[in-house]
Amino acid sequence: MISRYIQPCLFEEHASVLTRWFDLGIRDRTLICFDAHFDLQQISTARLDRLRASRTRDELQRQMKPHHLMPDQVVSPSLQFSYSIEDFLFAATRLGLIIRIIWVAPPHISIVDMQSAIEQLQQCDGVTIESLAGLQRWTDSTNQIHWITGRLLDVDLTVCHREALPHLQLSRDSLVDIDIDYFVELPSEQIGTPIADVVDDLLNLDLNFGEVTISRSVLSGFTPIHLRGIAEQLAERFAGTAASDIELLARDAGSLSFADDLLRRACEFPARGREVLPAAITSLEHECFALSCNDHERALISAALGILWCHVGNVEAAIESYRTAASVFGGHPELALEIAKLCLQTGHDASVDAFLHDALRDDKTGTAAQYCLGVVAMNAARGSGDSHALNLAIEHWEIANQRAPAWGEVLQLLADAHHRRADLSNANLCSDRWLRLQQVIARNYVYE
């Protein structure tokens, strides 16, 4: 191990690093990011324009969602948020801070066969079939270490495990960023990779970084609270000194308010894929009723609980949670989408329209809402033979396809809908695109 001082900067949630890079005047850099999640979701032009208009760190910081469950827009027009934990890297690329991302995935995410990741990418706004086709899988001389390179959302991207880093061409001025959920092995929720090994590997690379950004991701539920100390352990090892001598930019997780801790506990079920039982949701709900907190805190907790009720199939309880959140925020697109999907699964199409139109309002949910509105319209067309409903289904799915061109299911639905309308030209076009997508997936992601 090479011994040198690295300044650690600790944050509570990952999106906060954007303002740090902005404040430092970072431009056109490579980012080496250790993370359990790929935070490069596309942001709409309107939100990007607000970000580009920011002239100071504070102006940029005010546009970060205080929690990822906060809608993009709430009741007041002055409360408009432009980025959060799932899309701050996209913001960083469009602001010119980052031009290349090296996503170092944890060991439990396969680099050889990334079927689940690719399925998610297909549904992402802005991801095209050709960008997926451009992804290439590489291996070292021993055929034991693998990595993937390509260009996604107009960003140079490498996906790898940490063992591949010495095999990559790295800019010496690369930024180093670590979200400690990288270390959380699933489903055991214990430390899966030795902290010292990650630090030693980074310090032995030919890099001249003098700072490392470290995020806890405890409040959002992605890191178990009992593992929050990983952040301090990383900081101490990079800095070569005790955490008490390090300036920390994150709150101590032991000092969370009751409202923050309740929100954290509600979020950790979906965040880490944990099983949730109705009795546990009811218990959290009782705590919320008895809690002394402000309207925004109660609305966020209610939204989180509503999402949990959707997970266990209780649409009535989910709708009640939605009403609480909507009374403060003027709606809640993410919860609205979950309720609508549950209604569609149970055959209650008539209940979903208002929820889906709420879901159209956010970047995170808008494309899926268009997909679901198309399903509702097609169900009506099948039941009545109404050509207007058929045309409406096609209209919704075409919007979804424009936003997420690699979403295979949408292409199949469009092909079928065009056939029903006897539009063979567009039907064949959609079918050809779907077949091209299957070829790309088979070529790049089935390991031989």
Side-chain angles (χ1 to χ4, degrees), residues 130-436:
E130 290 312 308
S131 65
L132 293 178
L135 297 177
Q136 295 184 5
R137 189 175 57 239
W138 303 85
T139 186
D140 73 333
S141 58
T142 68
N143 202 35
Q144 298 298 310
I145 298 174
H146 308 270
W147 62 97
I148 292 171
T149 64
R151 192 163 179 84
L152 203 67
L153 299 177
D154 205 30
V155 179
D156 285 334
L157 172 68
T158 300
V159 182
C160 65
H161 290 145
R162 63 184 177 87
E163 293 82 3
L165 288 173
H167 300 271
L168 306 180
Q169 291 185 337
L170 304 174
S171 301
R172 295 198 72 242
D173 64 351
S174 296
L175 302 173
V176 176
D177 174 72
I178 302 174
D179 189 322
I180 69 169
D181 67 7
Y182 167 87
F183 294 93
V184 181
E185 188 176 68
L186 296 175
S188 71
E189 298 193 351
Q190 300 300 316
I191 297 177
T193 301
I195 295 166
D197 288 359
V198 169
V199 176
D200 291 351
D201 285 353
L202 283 167
L203 292 180
N204 279 290
L205 294 173
D206 185 23
L207 302 175
N208 62 0
F209 68 104
E211 175 178 296
V212 57
T213 48
I214 302 169
S215 302
R216 284 203 186 106
S217 297
V218 168
L219 282 176
S220 54
F222 289 98
T223 300
I225 195 166
H226 74 273
L227 295 180
R228 65 187 183 273
I230 292 174
E232 280 73 16
Q233 294 175 47
L234 279 168
E236 289 178 351
R237 191 158 186 94
F238 276 113
T241 186
S244 58
D245 298 326
I246 299 170
E247 181 182 1
L248 305 181
L249 304 178
R251 284 187 291 170
D252 177 61
S255 64
L256 297 182
S257 69
F258 289 117
D260 280 343
D261 189 60
L262 180 55
L263 180 60
R264 175 194 66 78
R265 286 184 283 134
C267 287
E268 67 183 1
F269 291 97
R272 304 203 298 275
R274 298 182 60 192
E275 182 183 5
V276 57
L277 299 175
I281 309 172
T282 300
S283 177
L284 291 169
E285 206 164 50
H286 288 161
E287 286 188 62
C288 184
F289 289 148
L291 191 65
S292 175
C293 59
N294 64 44
D295 289 344
H296 276 201
E297 290 171 332
R298 190 174 302 281
L300 283 173
I301 295 169
S302 295
L305 293 175
I307 290 170
L308 294 184
W309 283 124
C310 288
H311 276 265
V312 299
N314 191 331
V315 69
E316 292 81 9
I319 290 173
E320 190 59 37
S321 296
Y322 174 84
R323 291 190 182 117
T324 301
S327 68
V328 176
F329 298 139
H332 195 281
E334 188 168 352
L335 176 54
L337 178 63
E338 293 303 314
I339 292 171
K341 289 193 295 186
L342 182 57
C343 288
L344 287 174
Q345 290 168 11
T346 54
H348 293 88
D349 291 22
S351 307
V352 305
D353 200 61
F355 292 113
L356 289 175
H357 280 88
D358 185 14
L360 290 175
R361 297 189 304 124
D362 271 14
D363 287 354
K364 186 161 47 174
T365 54
T367 303
Q370 294 286 358
Y371 163 83
C372 291
L373 283 166
V375 171
V376 173
M378 180 55 79
N379 289 344
R382 290 194 183 103
S384 64
D386 182 0
S387 62
H388 173 71
L390 175 60
N391 292 336
L392 189 60
I394 291 174
E395 180 181 326
H396 286 302
W397 287 333
E398 283 182 340
I399 295 173
N401 177 244
Q402 289 166 9
R403 295 181 177 179
W407 192 346
E409 187 176 358
V410 172
L411 287 170
Q412 286 182 297
L413 290 168
L414 274 172
D416 178 67
H418 284 305
H419 267 295
R420 287 174 178 270
R421 201 168 60 174
D423 184 349
L424 296 184
S425 176
N426 278 316
N428 291 336
L429 182 62
C430 291
S431 294
D432 289 345
R433 288 176 181 168
W434 183 83
L435 287 171
R436 170 62 174 151

Side-chain angles (χ1 to χ4, degrees), residues 19-67:
T19 55
R20 177 67 179 180
W21 296 333
F22 182 88
D23 203 30
L24 293 174
I26 297 298
R27 299 294 300 176
D28 298 336
R29 301 283 279 277
T30 293
L31 173 68
I32 303 172
C33 182
F34 288 72
D35 197 343
H37 307 90
F38 186 49
D39 304 320
L40 193 67
Q41 294 183 28
Q42 188 166 267
I43 294 174
S44 68
T45 300
R47 294 168 73 197
L48 280 175
D49 286 345
R50 292 198 298 267
L51 286 174
R52 290 182 175 124
S54 300
R55 293 293 174 262
T56 67
R57 178 191 184 282
D58 289 342
E59 288 177 2
L60 193 66
Q61 181 69 35
R62 282 194 293 270
Q63 295 183 64
M64 187 182 93
K65 292 184 183 181
H67 191 274

